[in-house]
Amino acid sequence: MTLVAPVATAKERHVRRPILLLRVTTDEGVGYGECDALETTRYAGESIDTAEVTLAQSIIPDLLKRGAEYSSLEEAVGSLSTQGAAPMATSAIEMALMDAALRARGRSLATYLEVSRVAIPAGATVGIGPVRDVLAAVNDVVASGIRRIKLKIAPDVDVVAVRTIRDHCPDVEIVVDANGSYTISDPSHRAALRALDDFGLSAIEQPLSAEDLDGHAQLVKELRTRILLDESIANLDRLDRVLDAGACTAVCVKPARLGGIFAARKARDRCLAAGVPCAIGGLFEAGLGRAAAIAVGALDGFDVAGDLGPSSRYFRDDITTPHKLFQGMLPVPMRPGLGVDVRQDIVDALTARSHQFLPS
Ligand code: MG
């Protein structure tokens, strides 16, 4: 899928959004899942291509061989490791199995998860660029009704952009996301982070590298602004270490990166226990992944506004019925399964290749 507008971060520029779509047939019925690994391994160590290999060579053959042993959805999903080497591949198959089972039972994912909200506040990501372009992008977002901006920043493309947005849109919620591009030992980086502390930001996301938990703990002490960690939360073990180290005051939960919906709920549980609020993160998901993430983001504990926006911000034609904005909010899909229907004509037009796997 081609993104409506490319997104530039401190690390890379996203133009295309490859999607790996899964259709599973179980004893109960049919379900769809989506793998949200990105085009390269740079962000999560897993790319859409490595995820495809893992699914085709290991996860799917394993499920087909052992499928009959499982007596319930929970058991099948539980057998998929949440600490495995390929959480994004795992999350795709989990999503498809959940969709199939919940459709057959006439229950929505949101009901199954016992979410507490019917809609979540939408967010929009604005990439790095000349200040004039950033401001124009922010104005478009605000005009669409979205009240929450995630601005990508990097050293030297930070304070001026934030000040400009703040001056023009004093009421908008701003999170800045550095994608780990600052270094605590660099005096100019530290000065920039201190300057950002004065703009009433909702959070500074991942200022330092994923591994620098001590540095983040230091920033938690130094800055009034919430420190929201994203790349540092590579899995549940890393989340525990981050929480133990006091390295953040909010956690970005990306279901696909953690291994899926169940792993995301576990992450939320651990954050609730630690008194740290969550934000639902996005990875430019297509309609299925977005549906799953919206449901997770409607759980208790997701008290920091998240990344997710309407389908139209990312894709001209989503592979599902599009997620639409209502007064700045994204409704939680409430129909059975993930709550969205796959648009087969769009999928057919986009499909580069397909494989079928059958029990032997
Ligand atoms: Mg981020």
Side-chain angles (χ1 to χ4, degrees), residues 22-232:
L22 290 174
R23 178 181 189 273
V24 300
T25 305
T26 72
D27 295 342
E28 289 183 291
V30 170
Y32 289 89
E34 173 187 310
C35 180
D36 290 308
L38 294 171
E39 201 169 7
T40 72
T41 55
R42 235 166 280 152
Y43 171 76
E46 219 178 335
S47 73
I48 205 80
D49 295 319
T50 67
E52 181 181 357
V53 170
T54 310
L55 281 160
Q57 295 183 356
S58 136
I59 297 178
I60 292 173
D62 216 44
L63 269 177
L64 287 174
K65 201 165 12 155
R66 298 178 47 209
E69 296 169 21
Y70 302 125
S71 58
S72 67
L73 163 75
E74 287 75 9
E75 203 183 324
V77 166
S79 80
L80 303 165
S81 167
T82 53
Q83 297 298 321
M88 290 193 155
T90 306
S91 84
I93 198 99
E94 184 208 62
M95 199 187 297
L97 290 172
M98 294 285 290
D99 189 43
L102 292 171
R103 274 174 191 265
R105 298 176 197 174
R107 293 185 80 189
S108 69
L109 174 63
T111 314
Y112 177 85
L113 292 175
E114 301 179 339
V115 306
S116 53
R117 303 158 211 205
V118 296
I120 64 168
T125 300
V126 173
I128 291 171
V131 172
R132 199 187 334 155
D133 296 357
V134 167
L135 186 59
V138 169
N139 283 333
D140 280 352
V141 169
V142 173
S144 77
I146 295 175
R147 309 299 305 159
R148 192 261 178 177
I149 308 277
K150 175 179 282 187
L151 178 68
K152 295 289 186 180
I153 59 164
D156 299 329
V157 274
D158 42 25
V159 179
V160 174
V162 172
R163 179 178 295 124
T164 308
I165 297 176
R166 215 0 123 228
D167 287 349
H168 283 78
C169 313
D171 301 328
V172 94
E173 251 187 84
I174 305 171
V175 170
V176 292
D177 185 0
N179 290 102
S181 55
Y182 293 73
T183 310
I184 195 144
S185 56
D186 184 314
S188 72
H189 290 190
R190 205 140 172 184
L193 293 171
R194 261 190 231 114
L196 289 171
D197 203 27
D198 291 332
F199 292 111
L201 301 174
S202 297
I204 300 175
E205 181 170 328
Q206 198 70 49
L208 313 174
S209 71
E211 295 71 34
D212 191 359
L213 301 191
D214 290 344
H216 282 115
Q218 182 71 34
L219 291 180
V220 164
K221 288 192 200 108
E222 264 180 40
L223 305 180
R224 283 159 292 160
T225 309
R226 199 181 261 143
I227 301 295
L228 171 64
L229 289 189
D230 178 7
E231 283 90 337
S232 293

Side-chain angles (χ1 to χ4, degrees), residues 3 5-9 12-15 125-128 152 284 314:
L3 291 168
V7 179
T9 74
E12 57 192 324
R13 186 166 183 270
H14 302 280
V15 178
T125 300
V126 173
I128 291 171
K152 295 289 186 180
F284 332 137
Y314 298 94

